Amino acid sequence: MPAPSSSSSSACTFLLIFLLAVRASNCAAKATKSTRPRRQLSVDYYAKKCPQLEQIVGSVTSQQFKEAPVSGPATIRLFFHDCFVEGCDASILISTNPGSKELAEKDAEDNKDLRVEAFQTINKAKELVERKCPGIVSCADILAVAARDFVHLAGGPYYQVKKGRWDGKISMASRVQYNIPRANFTIDQQLKLFNSKGLTLEDLVVLSGAHTFGFAHCKQFVGRLYNYRGTKQPDPDMDPRLLKALQMSCPQFGGNSDIIAPFDVTTPFMFDHAYYGNLEAKLGLLASDQALVLDTRTKPLVQQLGKDKQKFFQAFSVAMEKMGSIGVKRGRRHGEKRRYCSMHA
């Protein structure tokens, strides 16, 4: 085989260097693209465009808390239900379109007990925010801020809320059932659901502490009173005095569906750590609550939080931030900024 000429050899060398340079350039571009950090939520997201946001929302939540204290736990529950279905994107606030075959999230069976006071709070806040900062703030961020406000108003911790969520474009009742924990869930069932949202065993125990205030309807716990897990007997892990009191309010059949009972029988309107002490005293309302002190994986943390309010407050603040980051939408491709929280933009 003849040796290549010097000119052809030089050309080949140049071509090889060129191809390597192009390849290196492409790899660098891909690396830059793949390693570029995602735009994260931030506390000062609206610092320039709507600096009054938290003050405006705060004026509404404080008034609501005075006029209808139930707005507090109702709004926190609303935030939880929103984040667990489609992420924290205010899809829970969308109303079903008249004549639509597909119901919106809020009309799902599991969401029918969500109290109107919570929706009213967010709608009032959104209306005021729109007057000052039209088209800037999402309903999802207003819901996150309002939930924090109510925690603090009821005696709980004040924590910074990271913002920057966009509102979701999808709201379907059919996606609710398998994403919301049920009142009779075992720890395994609860943990599987929480894990699917990127939450841990500790998050499960800590976020359950939101049941330190608020109420549940009889249908959520009536099975514990008369026929616990098919035994035709009451749940043995319920204090007999609590059992008797609940049976008087909630008959096995034909009771008033509007009757409610407090999650925390000792301080039902305060956000404190009494919930955990109640579990140790067999005073949990839901089977899913009482299960936390019966399982060896969760019992130690229940005991720790029951003894240390500050530990609970710190852990709850962290867990709420973590939950508030589930499935966040960013940008017009995935989200929207609604003018009215109950209607798509």
Side-chain angles (χ1 to χ4, degrees):
M1 176 181 280
S5 67
S6 61
S7 60
S8 63
S9 178
S10 298
C12 287
T13 302
F14 175 79
L15 181 60
L16 180 60
I17 293 172
F18 175 77
L19 289 174
L20 288 172
V22 170
R23 184 179 177 185
S25 176
N26 287 341
C27 289
K30 288 179 180 178
T32 300
K33 184 176 181 181
S34 62
T35 58
R36 182 181 297 152
R38 290 180 57 197
R39 291 180 64 197
Q40 300 295 320
L41 301 179
S42 63
V43 172
D44 59 355
Y45 185 81
Y46 297 109
K48 293 182 178 179
K49 292 189 175 182
C50 193
Q52 323 96 305
L53 170 62
E54 300 215 8
Q55 183 181 352
I56 296 170
V57 175
S59 68
V60 174
T61 51
S62 60
Q63 188 65 29
Q64 280 286 115
F65 194 68
K66 291 176 185 176
E67 296 178 357
V70 73
S71 300
T75 301
I76 294 168
R77 186 181 179 210
L78 185 66
F79 185 47
F80 181 94
H81 279 229
D82 183 47
C83 291
F84 266 56
V85 183
E86 299 295 340
C88 307
D89 63 355
S91 52
I92 190 74
L93 304 177
I94 290 291
S95 296
T96 301
N97 287 327
S100 173
K101 293 181 180 179
E102 176 66 50
L103 296 177
E105 273 179 45
K106 68 183 294 186
D107 293 319
E109 188 64 34
D110 292 294
N111 286 333
K112 286 185 177 179
D113 287 341
L114 294 175
R115 296 193 60 106
V116 67
E117 291 87 351
F119 293 96
Q120 290 172 343
T121 297
I122 306 307
N123 289 334
K124 287 179 182 178
K126 177 63 170 174
E127 183 180 352
L128 291 182
V129 169
E130 283 295 314
R131 291 180 192 173
K132 293 286 186 180
C133 319
I136 300 297
V137 183
S138 67
C139 299
D141 278 339
I142 290 175
L143 177 53
V145 171
R148 184 278 314 279
D149 284 356
F150 282 125
V151 168
H152 186 59
L153 286 165
Y158 183 92
Y159 53 89
Q160 295 290 336
V161 175
K162 291 183 178 180
K163 297 168 283 289
R165 303 165 187 82
W166 284 53
D167 299 325
K169 295 181 177 181
I170 297 172
S171 181
M172 301 170 63
S174 58
R175 299 190 180 185
V176 172
Q177 183 178 359
Y178 300 106
N179 285 294
I180 297 295
R182 301 194 173 279
N184 63 348
F185 264 15
T186 63
I187 295 300
D188 284 337
Q189 290 171 313
Q190 294 182 70
L191 190 56
K192 181 180 179 181
L193 179 58
F194 272 64
N195 286 165
S196 74
K197 309 301 177 185
L199 300 174
T200 65
L201 183 74
E202 180 177 347
D203 295 324
L204 165 61
V205 177
V206 171
L207 290 171
S208 294
H211 283 175
T212 188
F213 71 156
F215 301 82
H217 288 81
C218 290
K219 69 178 182 180
Q220 300 293 335
F221 55 85
V222 70
R224 294 188 72 198
L225 309 183
Y226 302 99
N227 186 23
Y228 181 62
R229 301 199 184 283
T231 62
K232 297 185 180 180
Q233 296 294 324
D235 185 349
D237 289 302
M238 179 179 283
D239 181 278
R241 295 166 299 171
L242 177 61
L243 174 64
K244 185 175 180 179
L246 291 175
Q247 286 178 331
M248 290 178 67
S249 299
C250 305
Q252 186 172 11
F253 304 108
N256 184 342
S257 60
D258 293 329
I259 295 293
I260 56 176
F263 287 117
D264 177 348
V265 296
T266 54
T267 56
F269 293 101
M270 290 181 61
F271 194 99
D272 54 23
H273 65 320
Y275 165 83
Y276 297 104
N278 290 343
L279 298 185
E280 293 188 80
K282 296 187 175 183
L283 295 175
L285 184 63
L286 306 183
S288 56
D289 288 328
Q290 196 61 46
L292 294 173
V293 80
L294 300 175
D295 192 291
T296 55
R297 293 169 292 178
T298 50
K299 182 177 180 178
L301 185 54
V302 168
Q303 293 174 324
Q304 291 174 36
L305 298 177
K307 295 174 183 175
D308 191 338
K309 184 167 75 170
Q310 283 309 119
K311 180 180 177 68
F312 168 52
F313 280 9
Q314 290 169 2
F316 188 80
S317 300
V318 172
M320 285 292 278
E321 178 183 323
K322 192 173 177 182
M323 186 184 78
S325 300
I326 297 174
V328 167
K329 313 295 187 298
R330 298 299 298 271
R332 298 194 180 281
R333 181 179 177 185
H334 303 289
E336 61 186 8
K337 294 285 183 75
R338 298 182 208 139
R339 172 65 180 85
Y340 301 99
C341 292
S342 61
M343 299 170 57
H344 286 298

